[in-house]
Amino acid sequence: MSNFTFRNPVKIIFGKDTISQLSKNIPAGAKVLVTYGGGSIFKNGVYDQVVAALAGFEMIEFGGIEPNPTFETLMKAVELGRAEKIDFILSVGGGSVLDGTKFISAAIPFEGGNEWENIVLGKSRYKTATPFGAVLTLPATGSEMNSGGVISRKETHEKYGMGSPLLYPQFSILDPTTTYSLPKVQIANGLADAFTHVMEQYLTYPVNALIQDKFAEGVLKTLIEVAPKVMHDQTNYEDMSNFMWAATVALNGWISLGVPSDWATHQIGHELTALHGIDHARTLAVVLPHLMRYKMDNKKAKMIQYAKEVWALNGTDDELVEAAIQKTTEFYESLGIPTKASAYGIGEETVQEIKKRFTDRKVKYGEKSDIDAAATEAILRMSIA
Amino acid sequence: MSNFTFRNPVKIIFGKDTISQLSKNIPAGAKVLVTYGGGSIFKNGVYDQVVAALAGFEMIEFGGIEPNPTFETLMKAVELGRAEKIDFILSVGGGSVLDGTKFISAAIPFEGGNEWENIVLGKSRYKTATPFGAVLTLPATGSEMNSGGVISRKETHEKYGMGSPLLYPQFSILDPTTTYSLPKVQIANGLADAFTHVMEQYLTYPVNALIQDKFAEGVLKTLIEVAPKVMHDQTNYEDMSNFMWAATVALNGWISLGVPSDWATHQIGHELTALHGIDHARTLAVVLPHLMRYKMDNKKAKMIQYAKEVWALNGTDDELVEAAIQKTTEFYESLGIPTKASAYGIGEETVQEIKKRFTDRKVKYGEKSDIDAAATEAILRMSIA
């Protein structure tokens, strides 16, 4: 394995009835900006629990952060936070609210202007951020235990990842019972998202990192095991607990230490969301199986390992590589998630637009920096064929 | 799984040639107390690397911290640290030096006196500790990424665990090349120690914690896979890297979240070290197989899972339980570590002394609090039979 440095200071508070612990995890006397999304927290009782737990704190609210949170919306929260001189931000919701909150956290104390370029595109090495915590209501993105986020811009149909060591939540409260009323499509998306996060960090080339590989395989096997259960009954506490914790460790850094990462599927997927508004997780499902086929030669060793260790298959190398693609495709489809971009009406025009963007940006994604504009065109063509 | 709270803030710096990163991880201008053991760091080049990296810092040394670090020795370091008004402690060595350093860290600023009772036995809720970091030279105890330690007292032949959230290292540097010159017996002990740490947190009863179980199994399988390799050649970088990282994650909290833990093997083993000076890891090997047999009924489900998942065995439940004990015994023996206390000349007298201590202390160890004095007597009798 390669040299690595790792530090993840997030405090995880996991389990039933843990939202009540909010008050002892926010600095006494803090003026708190509570951020949330479309209002599901009013229906599932989470808002009431948060308000009860924050009795004694001055609380300001900012709702309406959308899935794929936009710079335009988030800047309104930044202005509110600055005007109200808030001390702490509490994200209540899923990964989109939390990703948006990370941007708000960085932007509120930032005095250099042009927050899109400086904070989202990372041109500034900002030195402070407003502290924040999270109540997570959707297992999916892993944002609750990492320091990254993904922000979209409506104006230009762009979507970019951002991050800083300053943007770890102070704490994240994960109560699996908050997920019981999620729409089924969000459960499916969460499973697909977490699964793909692991694949991005695992399905590259072997570097003899035994712990990292076995942990990654353990997360994949857990997701595969719980997926049909939580799709059938999302009110089983044990199953939802396993799903929720799997989604967190899928992207909290533990499985990626000293190993190569891919992330090309995410980069291509972000364009499909930016251009067509397709749910993030669903864009991953229309890219990864085709990227696996496109890179089947240089991902061969890991694809064989994946077929054997994760899916318990045997066969010739070629059979295992083919099975790896097939099983991955079937996993997404089992969640009701298509694996062809054509299922969303996407055609050659979008392929060419993304090719053009990647050509302009001179991108080279993937663990071997071999996913450029031409490779992306080839992968997307398979997805619309 | 049960509710849990988790936060592990240790910064891990892993890999070749990382000792040079010391200077940027210790506060500028700090007066540093460097703690070490019997002097192996002078032979393997680690001392020279540390001195070079600390150029620019005022440095005081305290050597001679023994395996199973004693209160008596450590209090001398505490007096030195107080007299010299040091700002930071750097532990250079294995788990014993680091455990000792944790005590020193807590004791230096402590003003309440009676450090044995207040800090080791935990009667005081001390509020500060001198910050410290580590250069680890021996994969074994996991102390590099947790907040606990074990301290012995020569005077009374006692050995106790201690800990506090204040006692996480600020950083730990893990350079696998520092282990190349370790005595073979220390490699063997390190493998046995790390293996047993996982068993203490895994071999209890099932609570359907999929991630935790799969991670624990992954660490065990990694140790089983690398053990013969590192015993044969401890200068293979990849193998030593896998061993070193496995030993860290075996006791950094990741595998124990929300699951029951046993730790009775350690408690009994500590007595064998305290009374007879047997290496810590070796005491575990003469307890665990017999404890497994003693508790084979109430550990049955996990023993079957262990036999299947870790050792890839099949058979009837009874066959798998028996195989679980047999494989565990063979693992220790493969390292040249005996699994009978009688191998060390221990007999009935020691059994009765430990029984008396546990009776006096009214102990109830284990995940079901069923390892009392009588149970301990029964387990140790099997080990001397």
Side-chain angles (χ1 to χ4, degrees), chain A residues 1 3-12 14-16 208 210-211 214-215 218 222 238 242 245 254 257, chain B residues 1 3-12 14-16 208 210-211 214-215 218 222 237-238 242 245 254 257:
Chain A
M1 70 183 94
N3 284 13
F4 65 82
T5 297
F6 173 73
R7 181 174 189 270
N8 186 325
V10 179
K11 178 178 183 180
I12 295 289
F14 189 100
K16 276 181 193 162
N208 193 13
L210 298 182
I211 291 289
K214 290 179 200 302
F215 282 16
T222 297
E238 289 190 11
N242 282 317
W245 188 233
W254 296 358
L257 301 169
Chain B
M1 68 184 96
N3 284 13
F4 66 82
T5 296
F6 174 74
R7 182 173 188 271
N8 187 324
V10 179
K11 179 178 181 178
I12 295 289
F14 190 100
K16 275 181 193 161
N208 193 14
L210 298 181
I211 291 288
K214 289 179 201 305
F215 281 17
T222 297
Y237 183 77
E238 287 191 13
N242 281 317
W245 189 231
W254 295 359
L257 301 169

Short mmCIF file of all heavy atoms in Angstrom, two decimals, chain A residues 1 3-12 14-16 208 210-211 214-215 218 222 238 242 245 254 257, chain B residues 1 3-12 14-16 208 210-211 214-215 218 222 237-238 242 245 254 257:
data_model
loop_
_atom_site.label_atom_id
_atom_site.label_comp_id
_atom_site.label_asym_id
_atom_site.label_seq_id
_atom_site.Cartn_x
_atom_site.Cartn_y
_atom_site.Cartn_z
N MET A 1 0.84 -1.19 0.00
CA MET A 1 0.00 0.00 0.00
C MET A 1 0.88 1.25 0.00
O MET A 1 2.04 1.21 0.40
CB MET A 1 -0.94 -0.02 1.22
CG MET A 1 -0.28 0.18 2.57
SD MET A 1 -1.44 0.05 3.99
CE MET A 1 -1.24 -1.68 4.43
N ASN A 3 1.98 5.14 1.17
CA ASN A 3 1.96 5.94 2.39
C ASN A 3 0.61 6.68 2.49
O ASN A 3 0.03 7.05 1.46
CB ASN A 3 3.08 6.99 2.37
CG ASN A 3 4.44 6.37 2.65
OD1 ASN A 3 4.61 5.14 2.64
ND2 ASN A 3 5.42 7.22 2.91
N PHE A 4 0.15 6.87 3.71
CA PHE A 4 -1.07 7.66 3.86
C PHE A 4 -1.06 8.42 5.18
O PHE A 4 -0.35 8.04 6.12
CB PHE A 4 -2.33 6.80 3.76
CG PHE A 4 -2.50 5.78 4.87
CD1 PHE A 4 -3.03 6.13 6.10
CD2 PHE A 4 -2.15 4.45 4.66
CE1 PHE A 4 -3.21 5.18 7.11
CE2 PHE A 4 -2.32 3.49 5.66
CZ PHE A 4 -2.86 3.86 6.88
N THR A 5 -1.83 9.49 5.23
CA THR A 5 -2.10 10.22 6.47
C THR A 5 -3.60 10.21 6.65
O THR A 5 -4.35 10.42 5.69
CB THR A 5 -1.59 11.67 6.38
OG1 THR A 5 -0.17 11.62 6.22
CG2 THR A 5 -1.91 12.44 7.65
N PHE A 6 -4.03 9.93 7.85
CA PHE A 6 -5.47 9.79 8.11
C PHE A 6 -5.83 10.43 9.44
O PHE A 6 -5.17 10.19 10.45
CB PHE A 6 -5.87 8.32 8.15
CG PHE A 6 -7.31 8.08 8.56
CD1 PHE A 6 -8.35 8.38 7.70
CD2 PHE A 6 -7.62 7.59 9.82
CE1 PHE A 6 -9.68 8.18 8.08
CE2 PHE A 6 -8.94 7.39 10.21
CZ PHE A 6 -9.96 7.68 9.33
N ARG A 7 -6.84 11.25 9.42
CA ARG A 7 -7.42 11.75 10.67
C ARG A 7 -8.86 12.09 10.40
O ARG A 7 -9.16 12.87 9.49
CB ARG A 7 -6.67 12.99 11.18
CG ARG A 7 -7.25 13.51 12.50
CD ARG A 7 -6.41 14.66 13.09
NE ARG A 7 -6.88 14.97 14.42
CZ ARG A 7 -7.84 15.86 14.70
NH1 ARG A 7 -8.39 16.55 13.72
NH2 ARG A 7 -8.22 16.06 15.95
N ASN A 8 -9.76 11.47 11.12
CA ASN A 8 -11.18 11.75 10.97
C ASN A 8 -11.76 12.02 12.35
O ASN A 8 -11.98 11.11 13.13
CB ASN A 8 -11.90 10.57 10.32
CG ASN A 8 -13.35 10.90 10.01
OD1 ASN A 8 -14.00 11.62 10.74
ND2 ASN A 8 -13.86 10.38 8.91
N PRO A 9 -11.97 13.29 12.68
CA PRO A 9 -12.35 13.65 14.05
C PRO A 9 -13.85 13.64 14.31
O PRO A 9 -14.28 14.05 15.39
CB PRO A 9 -11.81 15.08 14.15
CG PRO A 9 -12.00 15.63 12.77
CD PRO A 9 -11.78 14.47 11.83
N VAL A 10 -14.66 13.17 13.36
CA VAL A 10 -16.12 13.29 13.55
C VAL A 10 -16.59 12.40 14.70
O VAL A 10 -16.21 11.24 14.80
CB VAL A 10 -16.89 12.91 12.27
CG1 VAL A 10 -18.40 13.02 12.51
CG2 VAL A 10 -16.47 13.78 11.11
N LYS A 11 -17.39 12.97 15.55
CA LYS A 11 -18.04 12.20 16.62
C LYS A 11 -19.34 11.63 16.07
O LYS A 11 -20.21 12.38 15.62
CB LYS A 11 -18.32 13.13 17.81
CG LYS A 11 -19.04 12.46 18.97
CD LYS A 11 -19.22 13.46 20.12
CE LYS A 11 -19.87 12.83 21.33
NZ LYS A 11 -20.03 13.84 22.41
N ILE A 12 -19.45 10.32 16.11
CA ILE A 12 -20.67 9.66 15.63
C ILE A 12 -21.51 9.26 16.83
O ILE A 12 -21.02 8.62 17.76
CB ILE A 12 -20.32 8.41 14.79
CG1 ILE A 12 -19.57 8.79 13.51
CG2 ILE A 12 -21.59 7.60 14.48
CD1 ILE A 12 -20.41 9.49 12.46
N PHE A 14 -24.73 7.14 17.39
CA PHE A 14 -25.52 6.22 16.57
C PHE A 14 -26.56 5.51 17.41
O PHE A 14 -26.25 4.95 18.46
CB PHE A 14 -24.59 5.17 15.95
CG PHE A 14 -25.25 4.30 14.91
CD1 PHE A 14 -25.07 4.55 13.55
CD2 PHE A 14 -26.05 3.22 15.29
CE1 PHE A 14 -25.69 3.76 12.60
CE2 PHE A 14 -26.67 2.43 14.33
CZ PHE A 14 -26.48 2.69 12.98
N GLY A 15 -27.79 5.48 16.93
CA GLY A 15 -28.81 4.63 17.56
C GLY A 15 -30.12 5.33 17.80
O GLY A 15 -30.32 6.51 17.49
N LYS A 16 -31.00 4.54 18.38
CA LYS A 16 -32.36 5.01 18.71
C LYS A 16 -32.33 6.16 19.70
O LYS A 16 -31.56 6.14 20.66
CB LYS A 16 -33.12 3.88 19.40
CG LYS A 16 -33.77 2.90 18.49
CD LYS A 16 -34.51 1.84 19.31
CE LYS A 16 -34.89 0.70 18.39
NZ LYS A 16 -35.21 -0.54 19.08
N ASN A 208 -2.06 -4.97 -2.71
CA ASN A 208 -1.82 -5.84 -1.55
C ASN A 208 -2.12 -5.12 -0.23
O ASN A 208 -1.34 -5.20 0.72
CB ASN A 208 -0.36 -6.36 -1.57
CG ASN A 208 -0.14 -7.50 -0.57
OD1 ASN A 208 -1.10 -8.07 -0.05
ND2 ASN A 208 1.11 -7.82 -0.29
N LEU A 210 -4.44 -5.58 2.43
CA LEU A 210 -5.39 -6.62 2.82
C LEU A 210 -6.56 -6.10 3.64
O LEU A 210 -7.71 -6.46 3.41
CB LEU A 210 -4.66 -7.73 3.60
CG LEU A 210 -3.57 -8.48 2.83
CD1 LEU A 210 -2.97 -9.57 3.72
CD2 LEU A 210 -4.12 -9.10 1.56
N ILE A 211 -6.24 -5.27 4.64
CA ILE A 211 -7.31 -4.74 5.50
C ILE A 211 -8.29 -3.91 4.67
O ILE A 211 -9.51 -4.10 4.75
CB ILE A 211 -6.71 -3.89 6.63
CG1 ILE A 211 -5.94 -4.77 7.63
CG2 ILE A 211 -7.79 -3.07 7.34
CD1 ILE A 211 -6.79 -5.66 8.51
N LYS A 214 -10.43 -6.14 2.42
CA LYS A 214 -11.43 -6.95 3.15
C LYS A 214 -12.53 -6.08 3.74
O LYS A 214 -13.69 -6.48 3.80
CB LYS A 214 -10.73 -7.80 4.22
CG LYS A 214 -9.87 -8.92 3.62
CD LYS A 214 -9.19 -9.73 4.70
CE LYS A 214 -7.98 -10.49 4.19
NZ LYS A 214 -8.27 -11.42 3.08
N PHE A 215 -12.17 -4.89 4.18
CA PHE A 215 -13.20 -3.97 4.69
C PHE A 215 -14.13 -3.54 3.55
O PHE A 215 -15.34 -3.51 3.71
CB PHE A 215 -12.56 -2.73 5.33
CG PHE A 215 -12.02 -2.98 6.73
CD1 PHE A 215 -11.81 -4.25 7.23
CD2 PHE A 215 -11.73 -1.90 7.56
CE1 PHE A 215 -11.31 -4.46 8.51
CE2 PHE A 215 -11.23 -2.10 8.85
CZ PHE A 215 -11.02 -3.38 9.32
N GLY A 218 -16.36 -6.23 2.78
CA GLY A 218 -17.35 -6.36 3.86
C GLY A 218 -18.49 -5.36 3.71
O GLY A 218 -19.66 -5.69 3.97
N THR A 222 -22.31 -6.41 2.91
CA THR A 222 -23.37 -5.93 3.81
C THR A 222 -24.49 -5.27 3.02
O THR A 222 -25.67 -5.55 3.24
CB THR A 222 -22.78 -4.94 4.84
OG1 THR A 222 -21.82 -5.65 5.64
CG2 THR A 222 -23.86 -4.36 5.74
N GLU A 238 -32.82 -3.37 12.88
CA GLU A 238 -31.49 -3.95 12.67
C GLU A 238 -31.03 -3.79 11.22
O GLU A 238 -29.87 -3.44 10.96
CB GLU A 238 -31.50 -5.44 13.04
CG GLU A 238 -31.61 -5.67 14.53
CD GLU A 238 -31.37 -7.12 14.91
OE1 GLU A 238 -30.91 -7.92 14.07
OE2 GLU A 238 -31.64 -7.46 16.08
N ASN A 242 -27.81 -1.56 9.96
CA ASN A 242 -26.69 -2.06 9.15
C ASN A 242 -26.52 -1.26 7.87
O ASN A 242 -25.40 -0.95 7.45
CB ASN A 242 -26.91 -3.54 8.84
CG ASN A 242 -26.55 -4.43 10.02
OD1 ASN A 242 -25.54 -4.21 10.70
ND2 ASN A 242 -27.37 -5.43 10.29
N TRP A 245 -25.06 2.30 8.84
CA TRP A 245 -23.64 2.30 9.20
C TRP A 245 -22.77 1.93 8.00
O TRP A 245 -21.68 2.49 7.80
CB TRP A 245 -23.39 1.38 10.40
CG TRP A 245 -22.01 1.49 10.95
CD1 TRP A 245 -21.12 0.48 11.17
CD2 TRP A 245 -21.31 2.70 11.32
NE1 TRP A 245 -19.94 0.97 11.65
CE2 TRP A 245 -20.02 2.32 11.75
CE3 TRP A 245 -21.66 4.05 11.32
CZ2 TRP A 245 -19.08 3.27 12.19
CZ3 TRP A 245 -20.71 4.99 11.75
CH2 TRP A 245 -19.45 4.58 12.18
N TRP A 254 -12.01 5.05 5.75
CA TRP A 254 -11.40 3.83 6.27
C TRP A 254 -10.95 2.87 5.17
O TRP A 254 -9.93 2.19 5.33
CB TRP A 254 -12.36 3.09 7.21
CG TRP A 254 -12.72 3.81 8.46
CD1 TRP A 254 -12.26 5.04 8.87
CD2 TRP A 254 -13.61 3.35 9.48
NE1 TRP A 254 -12.84 5.36 10.09
CE2 TRP A 254 -13.66 4.35 10.49
CE3 TRP A 254 -14.39 2.20 9.66
CZ2 TRP A 254 -14.45 4.22 11.63
CZ3 TRP A 254 -15.16 2.08 10.81
CH2 TRP A 254 -15.19 3.07 11.78
N LEU A 257 -7.51 4.02 2.54
CA LEU A 257 -6.18 4.40 3.02
C LEU A 257 -5.08 3.69 2.24
O LEU A 257 -4.99 2.46 2.24
CB LEU A 257 -6.08 4.05 4.51
CG LEU A 257 -7.12 4.73 5.39
CD1 LEU A 257 -7.12 4.14 6.79
CD2 LEU A 257 -6.88 6.22 5.43
N MET B 1 -27.56 -3.96 16.53
CA MET B 1 -26.44 -3.48 17.34
C MET B 1 -26.93 -2.48 18.39
O MET B 1 -28.01 -1.90 18.24
CB MET B 1 -25.38 -2.85 16.43
CG MET B 1 -25.79 -1.54 15.75
SD MET B 1 -24.55 -0.87 14.57
CE MET B 1 -25.16 -1.52 12.98
N ASN B 3 -26.77 1.08 20.65
CA ASN B 3 -26.37 2.47 20.42
C ASN B 3 -24.88 2.63 20.74
O ASN B 3 -24.35 1.93 21.59
CB ASN B 3 -27.16 3.40 21.35
CG ASN B 3 -28.59 3.61 20.87
OD1 ASN B 3 -29.10 2.89 20.00
ND2 ASN B 3 -29.25 4.60 21.46
N PHE B 4 -24.22 3.53 20.03
CA PHE B 4 -22.83 3.80 20.36
C PHE B 4 -22.46 5.24 20.05
O PHE B 4 -23.13 5.90 19.25
CB PHE B 4 -21.88 2.84 19.62
CG PHE B 4 -21.86 2.99 18.11
CD1 PHE B 4 -21.10 3.97 17.49
CD2 PHE B 4 -22.58 2.13 17.31
CE1 PHE B 4 -21.07 4.10 16.10
CE2 PHE B 4 -22.55 2.25 15.91
CZ PHE B 4 -21.80 3.22 15.32
N THR B 5 -21.42 5.71 20.73
CA THR B 5 -20.81 7.00 20.41
C THR B 5 -19.36 6.71 20.08
O THR B 5 -18.70 5.92 20.76
CB THR B 5 -20.90 7.95 21.61
OG1 THR B 5 -22.29 8.20 21.87
CG2 THR B 5 -20.22 9.28 21.32
N PHE B 6 -18.87 7.31 19.03
CA PHE B 6 -17.51 7.04 18.58
C PHE B 6 -16.83 8.32 18.13
O PHE B 6 -17.40 9.10 17.37
CB PHE B 6 -17.54 6.05 17.40
CG PHE B 6 -16.18 5.83 16.76
CD1 PHE B 6 -15.24 5.05 17.41
CD2 PHE B 6 -15.86 6.39 15.54
CE1 PHE B 6 -13.98 4.84 16.85
CE2 PHE B 6 -14.61 6.19 14.97
CZ PHE B 6 -13.67 5.41 15.62
N ARG B 7 -15.64 8.51 18.62
CA ARG B 7 -14.79 9.59 18.10
C ARG B 7 -13.35 9.19 18.35
O ARG B 7 -12.96 8.92 19.48
CB ARG B 7 -15.08 10.93 18.80
CG ARG B 7 -14.25 12.07 18.22
CD ARG B 7 -14.66 13.42 18.78
NE ARG B 7 -13.97 14.48 18.07
CZ ARG B 7 -12.77 14.97 18.42
NH1 ARG B 7 -12.16 14.51 19.50
NH2 ARG B 7 -12.21 15.92 17.70
N ASN B 8 -12.58 9.11 17.31
CA ASN B 8 -11.17 8.77 17.43
C ASN B 8 -10.37 9.80 16.64
O ASN B 8 -10.30 9.75 15.41
CB ASN B 8 -10.90 7.37 16.88
CG ASN B 8 -9.47 6.94 17.14
OD1 ASN B 8 -8.55 7.75 17.10
ND2 ASN B 8 -9.28 5.66 17.42
N PRO B 9 -9.78 10.76 17.35
CA PRO B 9 -9.15 11.89 16.66
C PRO B 9 -7.69 11.67 16.28
O PRO B 9 -7.04 12.61 15.82
CB PRO B 9 -9.26 12.99 17.71
CG PRO B 9 -9.11 12.26 19.02
CD PRO B 9 -9.76 10.91 18.82
N VAL B 10 -7.16 10.46 16.48
CA VAL B 10 -5.71 10.27 16.25
C VAL B 10 -5.36 10.46 14.77
O VAL B 10 -6.03 9.93 13.89
CB VAL B 10 -5.25 8.87 16.70
CG1 VAL B 10 -3.75 8.70 16.44
CG2 VAL B 10 -5.57 8.65 18.17
N LYS B 11 -4.32 11.21 14.53
CA LYS B 11 -3.79 11.36 13.18
C LYS B 11 -2.78 10.25 12.94
O LYS B 11 -1.79 10.13 13.68
CB LYS B 11 -3.11 12.73 13.05
CG LYS B 11 -2.49 12.99 11.68
CD LYS B 11 -1.89 14.40 11.66
CE LYS B 11 -1.27 14.73 10.31
NZ LYS B 11 -0.73 16.12 10.32
N ILE B 12 -3.03 9.43 11.94
CA ILE B 12 -2.11 8.34 11.61
C ILE B 12 -1.26 8.76 10.41
O ILE B 12 -1.79 9.21 9.39
CB ILE B 12 -2.89 7.06 11.26
CG1 ILE B 12 -3.66 6.55 12.47
CG2 ILE B 12 -1.95 5.98 10.71
CD1 ILE B 12 -2.82 5.96 13.58
N PHE B 14 1.30 6.99 8.07
CA PHE B 14 1.69 5.61 7.81
C PHE B 14 2.59 5.51 6.58
O PHE B 14 2.26 6.04 5.53
CB PHE B 14 0.43 4.76 7.56
CG PHE B 14 0.68 3.27 7.52
CD1 PHE B 14 0.42 2.48 8.62
CD2 PHE B 14 1.19 2.67 6.37
CE1 PHE B 14 0.65 1.11 8.59
CE2 PHE B 14 1.44 1.30 6.33
CZ PHE B 14 1.16 0.52 7.44
N GLY B 15 3.70 4.81 6.75
CA GLY B 15 4.50 4.49 5.57
C GLY B 15 5.99 4.73 5.74
O GLY B 15 6.46 5.17 6.80
N LYS B 16 6.69 4.44 4.69
CA LYS B 16 8.15 4.60 4.64
C LYS B 16 8.58 6.04 4.84
O LYS B 16 7.97 6.97 4.29
CB LYS B 16 8.65 4.22 3.22
CG LYS B 16 8.89 2.76 3.03
CD LYS B 16 9.40 2.52 1.59
CE LYS B 16 9.33 1.04 1.31
NZ LYS B 16 9.35 0.70 -0.11
N ASN B 208 -26.20 -9.08 15.14
CA ASN B 208 -26.53 -8.68 13.77
C ASN B 208 -25.86 -7.35 13.40
O ASN B 208 -26.50 -6.47 12.82
CB ASN B 208 -28.05 -8.60 13.58
CG ASN B 208 -28.45 -8.51 12.11
OD1 ASN B 208 -27.63 -8.75 11.22
ND2 ASN B 208 -29.68 -8.13 11.85
N LEU B 210 -23.45 -6.29 11.02
CA LEU B 210 -22.78 -6.90 9.87
C LEU B 210 -21.43 -6.29 9.56
O LEU B 210 -20.46 -7.00 9.31
CB LEU B 210 -23.69 -6.79 8.63
CG LEU B 210 -25.03 -7.52 8.72
CD1 LEU B 210 -25.80 -7.35 7.41
CD2 LEU B 210 -24.83 -9.00 9.02
N ILE B 211 -21.36 -4.96 9.57
CA ILE B 211 -20.10 -4.29 9.26
C ILE B 211 -19.04 -4.66 10.30
O ILE B 211 -17.91 -5.05 9.96
CB ILE B 211 -20.29 -2.76 9.22
CG1 ILE B 211 -21.14 -2.34 8.02
CG2 ILE B 211 -18.94 -2.02 9.24
CD1 ILE B 211 -20.47 -2.45 6.68
N LYS B 214 -17.88 -8.30 9.85
CA LYS B 214 -17.08 -8.52 8.64
C LYS B 214 -15.71 -7.85 8.76
O LYS B 214 -14.71 -8.37 8.25
CB LYS B 214 -17.85 -8.04 7.40
CG LYS B 214 -19.04 -8.94 7.07
CD LYS B 214 -19.80 -8.42 5.85
CE LYS B 214 -21.23 -8.96 5.79
NZ LYS B 214 -21.34 -10.41 5.83
N PHE B 215 -15.67 -6.70 9.41
CA PHE B 215 -14.37 -6.05 9.62
C PHE B 215 -13.51 -6.89 10.56
O PHE B 215 -12.32 -7.09 10.32
CB PHE B 215 -14.56 -4.64 10.19
CG PHE B 215 -14.96 -3.60 9.17
CD1 PHE B 215 -15.46 -3.96 7.93
CD2 PHE B 215 -14.84 -2.24 9.45
CE1 PHE B 215 -15.84 -2.99 6.99
CE2 PHE B 215 -15.20 -1.27 8.52
CZ PHE B 215 -15.71 -1.65 7.30
N GLY B 218 -12.21 -9.72 8.80
CA GLY B 218 -11.18 -9.27 7.87
C GLY B 218 -9.83 -9.08 8.56
O GLY B 218 -8.78 -9.40 7.99
N THR B 222 -6.59 -11.36 7.82
CA THR B 222 -5.34 -10.69 7.44
C THR B 222 -4.19 -11.18 8.31
O THR B 222 -3.10 -11.50 7.80
CB THR B 222 -5.50 -9.16 7.58
OG1 THR B 222 -6.50 -8.73 6.65
CG2 THR B 222 -4.19 -8.44 7.29
N TYR B 237 8.27 -5.38 2.93
CA TYR B 237 7.54 -4.16 3.27
C TYR B 237 6.03 -4.35 3.22
O TYR B 237 5.30 -3.91 4.12
CB TYR B 237 7.96 -3.01 2.36
CG TYR B 237 7.28 -1.71 2.72
CD1 TYR B 237 7.70 -0.97 3.81
CD2 TYR B 237 6.18 -1.24 2.00
CE1 TYR B 237 7.06 0.20 4.18
CE2 TYR B 237 5.53 -0.07 2.36
CZ TYR B 237 5.97 0.66 3.45
OH TYR B 237 5.32 1.81 3.82
N GLU B 238 5.55 -4.98 2.18
CA GLU B 238 4.09 -5.13 2.04
C GLU B 238 3.50 -5.98 3.17
O GLU B 238 2.47 -5.63 3.74
CB GLU B 238 3.75 -5.77 0.69
CG GLU B 238 3.96 -4.82 -0.47
CD GLU B 238 3.38 -5.37 -1.77
OE1 GLU B 238 2.61 -6.36 -1.73
OE2 GLU B 238 3.72 -4.82 -2.83
N ASN B 242 0.90 -4.68 6.09
CA ASN B 242 -0.40 -5.28 6.38
C ASN B 242 -0.51 -5.69 7.85
O ASN B 242 -1.55 -5.51 8.49
CB ASN B 242 -0.65 -6.48 5.47
CG ASN B 242 -1.09 -6.03 4.08
OD1 ASN B 242 -1.91 -5.13 3.93
ND2 ASN B 242 -0.54 -6.66 3.05
N TRP B 245 -0.82 -2.39 10.03
CA TRP B 245 -2.13 -1.74 9.97
C TRP B 245 -3.21 -2.63 10.61
O TRP B 245 -4.11 -2.14 11.28
CB TRP B 245 -2.46 -1.35 8.53
CG TRP B 245 -3.69 -0.50 8.43
CD1 TRP B 245 -4.77 -0.69 7.63
CD2 TRP B 245 -3.97 0.72 9.16
NE1 TRP B 245 -5.71 0.29 7.82
CE2 TRP B 245 -5.24 1.17 8.75
CE3 TRP B 245 -3.27 1.45 10.12
CZ2 TRP B 245 -5.83 2.33 9.28
CZ3 TRP B 245 -3.86 2.60 10.65
CH2 TRP B 245 -5.12 3.03 10.23
N TRP B 254 -12.88 0.59 15.77
CA TRP B 254 -13.74 0.40 14.60
C TRP B 254 -14.57 -0.88 14.66
O TRP B 254 -15.70 -0.90 14.19
CB TRP B 254 -12.90 0.37 13.31
CG TRP B 254 -12.21 1.66 12.98
CD1 TRP B 254 -12.27 2.84 13.67
CD2 TRP B 254 -11.35 1.89 11.86
NE1 TRP B 254 -11.49 3.79 13.02
CE2 TRP B 254 -10.92 3.23 11.91
CE3 TRP B 254 -10.91 1.10 10.78
CZ2 TRP B 254 -10.07 3.79 10.96
CZ3 TRP B 254 -10.06 1.65 9.83
CH2 TRP B 254 -9.64 2.99 9.92
N LEU B 257 -17.86 -1.20 17.69
CA LEU B 257 -18.96 -0.24 17.82
C LEU B 257 -20.30 -0.94 17.97
O LEU B 257 -20.72 -1.68 17.07
CB LEU B 257 -18.97 0.69 16.60
CG LEU B 257 -17.68 1.47 16.40
CD1 LEU B 257 -17.68 2.16 15.04
CD2 LEU B 257 -17.50 2.48 17.50
#
